[in-house]
């Protein structure tokens, strides 16, 4: 049984690709055969985050057009067993991605025995984002605790409820869960940032995880290793928790409170 | 939180302002979600008619489409300014 998961957000730059990479890597680490697909045609980036940019020969559009078969298009991760990457095409032709073509690729991946297919959606609500979401069984909505991101997430939730194949077939909404990224408990405590509860209230969906703002994320993308592999970092641990919850485990949310400062810090350290 | 900040007047925290603004806009957008495509234009034209007689703001008009057991209800709210 294969589960197709779309990682989406509406707004750009909130951490969709970082999340797709971490989620796929985490699932594969736990022994689930997983492929992560970059749907951002023209703006390929998942390959950089996964650190396989120099191994890209064929891409999603090549596979759809039959220039390469699926096995040739897939890049096997060198660090984690059972993890495969299918990069986006750098073509400027946005029509290269057809629903029929994508369906064929997804069917091929199912036949190869993939347990999870993670679809890294492009930003926006145009064709690319709709194509990434169309075949999904489940959605992970990546959101920053910031007004424009929350509004766009709500917008994308509305689109998901009518534009997926399941919705069109009258099979109802696909389950969607919230992944709150770039969270800063210090700023929340100072009343400068929307809290987890605020965002949950507004979007009214289940919380998959909260990823704290962390230096580790930039370090990870700099070096081309998904941040979940940095198991010492807060962000890595938070993603690991999110993967566990995604697989049905109950885990308390961590990194939601600021580190307590001593008396000296409270008296003199405004920040 | 430094000791000096207790001496300063309390301002409303930006996070609570953000939440309030979001609740309003999200509720409004959900109300028109899935509605017919002509809604924004209808809203615009209705506003023009109202403005011939009363000066009202862009956000004084609120359009909502509800579906109830097979029939659609177009609900229109115009807040007129106090004289």
């Amino acid at each position: 049984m294969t589960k197709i998961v779309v990682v989406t957000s509406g707004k750009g730059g909130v951490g969709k690709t970082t999340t797709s990479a971490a989620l796929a890597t985490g699932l594969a680490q736990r022994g689930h055969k997983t492929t992560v697909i970059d749907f951002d045609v023209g703006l390929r980036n998942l390959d950089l985050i996964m650190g396989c940019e120099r191994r890209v020969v064929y891409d999603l559009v090549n596979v759809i057009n039959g220039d390469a078969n699926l096995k040739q298009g897939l890049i096997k991760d060198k660090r984690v067993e059972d993890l495969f990457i299918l990069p986006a095409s750098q073509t400027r032709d946005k029509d290269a991605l057809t629903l029929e073509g994508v369906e064929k690729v997804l069917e091929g991946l199912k036949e190869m025995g993939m347990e999870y297919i993670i679809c890294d959606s492009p930003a926006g609500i145009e064709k690319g984002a709709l194509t990434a979401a169309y075949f999904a069984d489940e959605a992970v909505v990546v959101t920053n605790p910031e007004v424009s991101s929350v509004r766009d997430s709500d917008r994308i939730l509305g689109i998901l409820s009518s534009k997926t194949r399941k919705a069109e077939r009258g099979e109802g909404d696909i389950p969607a869960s919230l992944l709150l990224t770039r969270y800063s408990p210090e700023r929340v405590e100072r009343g400068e940032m929307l809290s987890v509860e605020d965002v949950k209230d507004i979007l009214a969906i289940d919380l998959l995880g909260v990823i704290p703002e962390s230096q580790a994320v930039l370090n990870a993308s700099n070096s081309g290793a998904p941040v979940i592999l940095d198991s010492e970092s807060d962000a890595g641990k938070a993603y690991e928790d999110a993967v566990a919850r995604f697989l049905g485990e109950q885990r308390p949310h961590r990194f939601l409170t600021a580190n307590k400062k001593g008396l000296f810090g409270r008296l003199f350290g405004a920040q | 939180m430094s000791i000096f900040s207790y001496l300063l007047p309390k301002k409303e925290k930006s996070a609570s302002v953000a939440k309030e603004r979001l609740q309003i806009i999200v509720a409004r957008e959900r109300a028109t979600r899935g509605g017919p495509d002509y809604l924004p234009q209808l809203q615009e034209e209705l506003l023009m008619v109202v403005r011939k007689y009363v000066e009202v703001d862009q956000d004084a008009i609120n359009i909502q489409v509800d579906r109830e057991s097979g029939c659609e209800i177009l609900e229109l709210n115009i807040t007129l300014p106090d004289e």
Side-chain angles (χ1 to χ4, degrees), chain A residues 142-193:
Chain A
V142 183
T143 307
N144 288 170
E146 181 269 326
V147 286
S148 52
S149 173
V150 177
R151 179 203 213 171
D152 289 358
S153 292
D154 188 66
R155 184 103 171 82
I156 210 79
L157 283 167
I159 288 165
L160 285 174
S161 70
S162 62
K163 301 278 192 207
T164 64
R165 180 163 68 171
K166 289 207 161 161
E168 282 184 4
R169 286 176 173 174
E171 291 169 25
D173 290 10
I174 60 168
S177 55
L178 169 68
L179 192 82
L180 198 59
T181 55
R182 307 200 67 170
Y183 195 69
S184 167
E186 290 82 10
R187 303 199 72 182
V188 172
E189 282 181 19
R190 275 187 260 132
E192 296 170 0
M193 182 180 267

Side-chain angles (χ1 to χ4, degrees), chain A residues 146-147 150-151 154-155 157-158 190-194 197-198 201-204 261 266-270, chain B residues 1-6 12-27 29-30 33-34:
Chain A
E146 181 269 326
V147 286
V150 177
R151 179 203 213 171
D154 188 66
R155 184 103 171 82
L157 283 167
R190 275 187 260 132
E192 296 170 0
M193 182 180 267
L194 290 163
E197 295 306 320
D198 290 342
D201 275 0
I202 291 162
L203 295 179
K261 278 188 236 136
R266 262 183 288 157
L267 282 176
F268 299 104
Chain B
M1 194 65 72
S2 133
I3 192 167
F4 305 108
S5 59
Y6 291 106
E12 195 175 0
K13 297 289 190 187
S14 62
S16 45
V17 179
K19 186 177 185 186
E20 239 168 75
R21 290 174 57 217
L22 270 169
Q23 279 170 328
I24 294 167
I25 191 69
V26 161
E29 286 175 350
R30 280 178 191 167
R33 182 181 292 169

